[in-house]
Amino acid sequence: MEPNTLNIPVLALRGLTVFPHTNLTFDVERRISIKALEVAMETGQEIFLVTQREIGVEKPTEKDLYTMGTVSRVTQILRLGKSSLRVMVEGGRRACLRRLWQTEPYLQGHVELVEENAGVSNTPRTEALLRQTCGLFQDYAQLAGNVAEEVTATVLDSQDPGFLADFIAQNTALRYDDKQAILEELSPLVRLRKLNGFLARERDVLSYERQMEGKVRDELAQQQKEQILRTQIRVLQGELGEDEDSEIDEYRQKLESLKLEDETRQHLEKEINKLAKQPYVSAEASVIRNYLDVCLELPWGTYTKERVNVDAVRRALDRDHFGMEKVKERILESIAVRQMNPEGKGQIICLVGPPGVGKTSIALSVAKALNRKLDRISLGGVRDEADIRGHRKTYIGAMPGRIVEGISRSGTMNPLLVLDEIDKLSGDYRGDPASALLEVLDSEQNHAFRDHFLEVPLDLSQVMFITTANSLDTIPRPLLDRMEVIQLSSYTDEEKIQIAKNHLLPKQMKEHGLKKGVLRIDDEAVRAVIRDYTRESGVRQLERRLAALCRKADMQLLTKAVKRVTVTEKDLPKLLNMQPYPPTVHVDREEIGVVNGLAWTEAGGEILEVEVNVMEGSGKLELTGNLGDVMKESAQAAYSCLRSRAKALGIDPDFYKNRDIHVHFPEGAVPKDGPSAGIAMATAMLSVLTDRKIKAGIAMTGEITLRGRVLPIGGLKEKTMAAKRYGIRTVLIPQDNVRDLEEIDQTVRAALRFVPVETVDQVFDEVFCREAEKKAEAIPAFLPVESGTEAALRQ
């Protein structure tokens, strides 16, 4: 055997590394390790200490061991028990395992001693490396706090780079694979540089650990402080009778008193139990407490007894509203269905009409007559879906949606909820509230409506919903399909007179402190106020004018010492200043190129004058008056209709080449749109092109086609009321609108002469003055649609 080769016992270390010229104490429990130590002690031999690659291997073989180890001498063995020893060893020299030829009953192997590099000269580079090592070790020792003083002294006194690296690696908590890397390095300077890298890493790790320990310590101290404060608060609350346990008991008592479904009860019980486990002043406790307050305040299982009586509702509607017979009848039918089937689902009605006609007040009257609790929810300008369905309860400032709030305010599960201005909903990045209403206003789904805040199903099937809107155009089709629409039309002047005398004037007199009989306004004055001082479908502006008259009466009674004030039509300019809406329509003149059309607006019907002028030019058609696309297209259709029949109508056949036609609708700042002025534009164009006058006191409405047919229009009731208000005597309407005459007020029907027309020929025959017609050539009638040119085209 070679001098540098030894055949000695081998002890496999797990997680440990022994360096030369250092002492180490460790415990041994494996049978093969104890046997190897015993053999070494008995024979006086040295033992080869080598580290295992994997700590978990119980019976290592040669491949499980590192190659480089330390030949050491056992200095002391202490038996701790039957199966464990504590051994102290002294490291000798580095050695390399060549072969492990025995694994039982202990490890035995051939090892070769390794010659280390010669000593290192004391150069500035070596001195710098030693200083760096000492500095890093001092930082490490300060952070670790468990390094013995003699170890520190040895490090500071040592000037041998190889020994210093081995000694520091042995006495620091480096990982065993890092220590193995230092053990395997034979160059002292390289070994020390490696150690410095490992020390720098350990220093940073210990620094981070110290920071985290500080944070944990601070948090524990804060929690301990909070716990002490909570205990003090609990004691003070007990002294004041505000015990937290009593709050939990109160929640439980409230829960027991409610009539809830099993799912809802279990969910709320779970929340109460969660609250009981939370500290009183914690943020989570505040969220749960707010949630329980909202949920337990809802009127679960509470229903008001309805007074479902058709006669009672009829009396209430007649007492509060004049006219609107069809609307009242439809509401009474709904009440009759409710009376016949009390267990039926809640109804969803949409009242649509212009502003001020009494949509909201009708809903209030229905609620009062049915003895239902009422809550009004204004949806105008609502843009956030959470306004309908609520916020998640975990959000700061979370609250339920408006539907749940309305039910909570009403105190019953079968209230009448008025959803006002449902056509004013809009959507943005926060969601679409109109879509959120789809479930609310669906009687097949709303029995289990889930608000985002409540998180439990809420039965809305017994709620009666009445929605109001000014227009159906902006309501999404799926939402509109869930509601039964009831149209409210404008009030007639006669209805406004009765409303003013029986409702508005007594109300305003009471508000202004006027006793009955002190102020008298005759019917003609009221009619003049309606005609010249208001322009609306409803009666809000009329009520303001009556309020102004009441104020003037108050002043006269106080300053002029009169006992009674009488207002006539002659007094209105003095009391209400000048007329804001004077009659500007010329209905008593026979003019060329000026035709009175009829228009519908949200404020009711209006007279829409059409003025046409013809000039020398190149065939241009100018359209002015702030017209919409549909109205412009209707003018083009009227122009083409006249051009196609120019010769038959007595028009210069080349007028489209040498004449410019300008069509204007006065009040140019007011937007106008729609096809119903088609026959009015055609009549005005024909009038200026043939120089014939239009009869006085005549107005018309109807859509025109290229072949001269007159198509039906909408808003006939409002349009005819406007015609009567402005003194029109004859109104031309499409033949298909004759059926709508049944809905027109009898006073209006008696005051006007209605002329149904199917073609523009019938319009021309009716509107032009007879004197001019006698001078002009007879105009042949338009051919029927299925004959003449079109029939020829079919052949």
Side-chain angles (χ1 to χ4, degrees):
M1 183 176 292
E2 298 179 5
N4 290 337
T5 302
L6 303 175
N7 184 12
I8 58 176
V10 177
L11 177 59
L13 301 175
R14 292 193 287 188
L16 292 174
T17 304
V18 178
F19 288 86
H21 314 299
T22 60
N23 297 325
L24 182 64
T25 301
F26 55 89
D27 294 340
V28 177
E29 294 181 351
R30 285 190 290 189
R31 180 181 52 81
I32 57 174
S33 299
I34 294 174
K35 186 64 176 175
L37 287 170
E38 290 176 349
V39 171
M41 290 295 291
E42 291 173 359
T43 61
Q45 294 179 342
E46 295 178 317
I47 189 169
F48 182 65
L49 302 180
V50 65
T51 305
Q52 287 184 198
R53 296 181 183 274
E54 298 292 338
I55 295 176
V57 177
E58 187 67 24
K59 293 182 179 181
T61 59
E62 186 174 344
K63 66 178 182 179
D64 297 320
L65 302 175
Y66 285 107
T67 304
M68 186 69 71
T70 304
V71 176
S72 305
R73 184 172 58 86
V74 179
T75 58
Q76 184 180 354
I77 294 179
L78 177 63
R79 189 171 293 276
L80 300 178
K82 295 181 179 181
S83 60
S84 63
L85 297 176
R86 178 165 292 173
V87 60
M88 179 182 294
V89 298
E90 180 183 351
R93 297 179 60 186
R94 282 178 170 80
C96 183
L97 178 64
R98 293 306 182 190
R99 179 189 175 202
L100 187 67
W101 57 269
Q102 177 181 310
T103 58
E104 287 293 342
Y106 59 91
L107 302 181
Q108 182 93 2
H110 292 292
V111 297
E112 180 181 351
L113 297 177
V114 176
E115 292 294 334
E116 299 188 38
N117 293 347
V120 181
S121 59
N122 190 10
T123 63
R125 178 174 296 181
T126 304
E127 183 65 25
L129 188 60
L130 289 171
R131 291 183 182 181
Q132 182 187 27
T133 304
C134 291
L136 289 172
F137 180 78
Q138 287 178 328
D139 294 341
Y140 169 83
Q142 184 178 1
L143 292 171
N146 58 354
V147 179
E149 293 182 2
E150 56 269 21
V151 174
T152 304
T154 303
V155 171
L156 296 177
D157 290 342
S158 177
Q159 295 299 316
D160 184 357
F163 169 77
L164 187 60
D166 291 344
F167 183 79
I168 292 177
Q170 186 71 75
N171 290 278
T172 53
L174 298 179
R175 294 182 303 201
Y176 73 92
D177 50 349
D178 294 338
K179 292 183 178 181
Q180 183 67 31
I182 293 175
L183 180 65
E184 292 178 355
E185 180 57 55
L186 301 180
S187 173
L189 292 179
V190 176
R191 190 187 313 163
L192 195 59
R193 278 197 292 269
K194 282 188 178 181
L195 175 70
N196 288 351
F198 295 148
L199 279 178
R201 186 194 64 199
E202 287 297 320
R203 179 196 59 186
D204 294 340
V205 171
L206 289 173
S207 177
Y208 292 143
E209 286 181 355
R210 182 67 61 86
Q211 291 178 10
M212 288 187 287
E213 286 177 2
K215 291 182 180 179
V216 171
R217 192 181 306 109
D218 293 342
E219 289 182 3
L220 289 176
Q222 181 66 25
Q223 290 178 3
Q224 186 177 12
K225 178 182 177 181
E226 291 178 356
Q227 188 64 35
I228 294 172
L229 292 175
R230 290 192 195 102
T231 305
Q232 293 175 347
I233 291 172
R234 192 175 296 110
V235 172
L236 293 174
Q237 286 177 338
E239 293 293 331
L240 296 173
E242 299 177 358
D243 191 8
E244 184 178 355
D245 294 336
S246 64
E247 180 189 38
I248 302 298
D249 293 338
E250 183 180 350
Y251 280 135
R252 295 189 191 280
Q253 291 174 4
K254 285 184 179 180
L255 182 60
E256 289 297 327
S257 63
L258 296 177
K259 301 175 183 177
L260 299 173
E261 298 289 337
D262 292 340
E263 178 186 353
T264 304
R265 185 177 298 278
Q266 292 172 5
H267 180 79
L268 295 180
E269 285 178 350
K270 184 178 178 181
E271 293 295 326
I272 294 175
N273 294 333
K274 189 186 300 182
L275 176 63
K277 298 176 183 178
Q278 297 292 328
Y280 185 81
V281 294
S282 67
E284 181 69 16
S286 299
V287 171
I288 299 174
R289 199 174 289 112
N290 179 46
Y291 173 72
L292 290 174
D293 288 340
V294 172
C295 290
L296 296 179
E297 287 176 3
L298 284 173
W300 301 97
T302 302
Y303 296 88
T304 56
K305 186 177 181 181
E306 274 189 296
R307 185 174 62 238
V308 184
N309 187 291
V310 174
D311 294 332
V313 177
R314 186 192 302 275
R315 288 193 296 271
L317 292 175
D318 290 340
R319 181 179 64 250
D320 298 336
H321 302 87
F322 182 84
M324 296 188 294
E325 298 302 328
K326 288 197 173 184
V327 176
K328 293 179 181 177
E329 194 64 30
R330 178 61 193 87
I331 293 176
L332 291 174
E333 290 173 0
S334 301
I335 305 304
V337 173
R338 191 75 181 170
Q339 188 172 351
M340 295 296 292
N341 181 20
E343 302 300 325
K345 298 178 180 178
Q347 297 174 342
I348 301 165
I349 297 173
C350 181
L351 302 177
V352 181
V357 297
K359 300 183 295 297
T360 305
S361 61
I362 283 179
L364 302 181
S365 299
V366 172
K368 188 186 300 181
L370 291 177
N371 192 35
R372 282 200 183 213
K373 299 292 184 180
L374 173 76
D375 192 76
R376 176 178 169 273
I377 301 172
S378 178
L379 300 179
V382 171
R383 308 174 67 86
D384 192 353
E385 177 191 354
D387 280 349
I388 306 299
R389 302 191 69 95
H391 306 80
R392 299 291 182 188
K393 67 178 181 180
T394 54
Y395 294 161
I396 296 175
M399 61 179 64
R402 298 194 180 194
I403 304 298
V404 175
E405 285 184 347
I407 292 177
S408 181
R409 284 193 299 266
S410 67
T412 177
M413 295 299 290
N414 63 335
L416 189 150
L417 295 184
V418 179
L419 306 182
D420 227 351
E421 308 294 348
I422 197 172
D423 58 326
K424 306 299 189 301
L425 287 172
S426 58
D428 60 6
Y429 66 93
R430 289 168 290 188
D432 183 9
S435 299
L437 280 174
L438 293 177
E439 181 184 3
V440 176
L441 300 181
D442 191 339
S443 57
E444 299 297 329
Q445 301 179 30
N446 60 12
H447 65 279
F449 171 69
R450 285 185 181 269
D451 187 273
H452 288 162
F453 183 86
L454 294 185
E455 298 178 346
V456 292
L458 185 69
D459 186 6
L460 301 181
S461 61
Q462 298 302 315
V463 179
M464 184 174 182
F465 291 98
I466 294 183
T467 66
T468 69
N470 297 127
S471 173
L472 298 178
D473 298 337
T474 57
I475 302 178
R477 295 300 101 181
L479 182 59
L480 186 62
D481 185 59
R482 285 162 165 77
M483 303 181 291
E484 183 168 354
V485 177
I486 300 178
Q487 293 280 355
L488 280 76
S489 58
S490 306
Y491 289 118
T492 66
D493 288 354
E494 296 302 320
E495 288 176 337
K496 289 182 180 180
I497 292 173
Q498 297 300 323
I499 292 171
K501 289 170 57 178
N502 300 327
H503 297 276
L504 303 182
L505 186 57
K507 175 184 174 183
Q508 291 300 323
M509 289 178 64
K510 182 178 179 180
E511 291 184 359
H512 289 80
L514 296 173
K515 296 181 180 179
K516 187 176 181 180
V518 175
L519 173 64
R520 182 180 179 277
I521 305 176
D522 62 20
D523 291 354
E524 292 303 319
V526 175
R527 196 183 303 275
V529 170
I530 295 171
R531 182 185 66 245
D532 299 334
Y533 292 87
T534 65
R535 182 171 292 180
E536 58 179 346
S537 299
V539 292
R540 285 184 180 143
Q541 197 171 357
L542 174 59
E543 186 174 8
R544 296 190 192 100
R545 296 298 183 184
L546 295 178
L549 293 177
C550 291
R551 291 195 298 272
K552 298 294 184 182
D554 282 343
M555 287 295 296
Q556 292 186 20
L557 291 170
L558 293 175
T559 58
K560 296 183 179 181
V562 296
K563 296 183 178 180
R564 182 176 179 180
V565 177
T566 301
V567 178
T568 62
E569 184 176 356
K570 296 180 180 179
D571 299 325
L572 294 180
K574 179 175 60 176
L575 297 175
L576 298 179
N577 300 324
M578 65 176 61
Q579 301 174 0
Y581 307 111
T584 57
V585 178
H586 305 295
V587 298
D588 55 350
R589 300 180 188 174
E590 295 180 351
E591 295 186 81
I592 297 175
V594 180
V595 177
N596 294 321
L598 296 174
W600 179 92
T601 67
E602 288 190 355
E606 286 295 330
I607 293 292
L608 189 66
E609 282 190 341
V610 184
E611 294 183 351
V612 178
N613 207 354
V614 63
M615 301 152 287
E616 295 289 337
S618 58
K620 295 180 182 179
L621 177 62
E622 295 286 343
L623 304 173
T624 57
N626 201 353
L627 309 184
D629 292 338
V630 176
M631 206 164 190
K632 292 178 181 178
E633 292 173 357
S634 182
Q636 294 284 354
Y639 182 76
S640 298
C641 177
L642 296 180
R643 181 179 169 185
S644 66
R645 302 290 296 170
K647 185 176 181 181
L649 293 173
I651 306 173
D652 179 7
D654 295 330
F655 80 93
Y656 65 92
K657 297 179 181 179
N658 52 29
R659 294 286 188 274
D660 287 346
I661 297 178
H662 188 165
V663 180
H664 178 67
F665 289 80
E667 294 192 41
V670 179
K672 310 170 189 70
D673 202 1
S676 61
I679 62 173
M681 288 186 284
T683 303
M685 291 181 190
L686 181 60
S687 173
V688 296
L689 289 172
T690 58
D691 200 26
R692 284 183 284 179
K693 292 184 178 181
I694 308 295
K695 292 180 182 178
I698 196 167
M700 62 188 70
T701 180
E703 179 181 355
I704 191 173
T705 69
L706 293 176
R707 303 303 304 274
R709 289 182 296 153
V710 180
L711 301 183
I713 45 81
L716 185 63
K717 179 180 178 181
E718 288 78 6
K719 292 177 179 179
T720 55
M721 285 192 291
K724 179 181 180 300
R725 184 164 61 248
Y726 285 99
I728 299 295
R729 296 181 294 275
T730 302
V731 177
L732 276 66
I733 63 173
Q735 180 68 43
D736 292 338
N737 283 114
V738 173
R739 61 181 183 273
D740 297 329
L741 294 177
E742 297 297 328
E743 299 180 1
I744 295 177
D745 186 77
Q746 294 298 325
T747 306
V748 177
R749 292 186 63 182
L752 298 176
R753 170 175 167 258
F754 293 95
V755 180
V757 293
E758 291 183 285
T759 65
V760 290
D761 290 317
Q762 297 172 350
V763 176
F764 298 155
D765 290 342
E766 181 67 31
V767 300
F768 288 116
C769 295
R770 297 297 178 184
E771 293 78 8
E773 290 179 359
K774 291 178 182 178
K775 297 178 183 179
E777 295 181 1
I779 301 175
F782 269 100
L783 295 174
V785 176
E786 291 296 330
S787 61
T789 307
E790 191 171 33
L793 289 174
R794 285 179 176 270
Q795 296 176 1

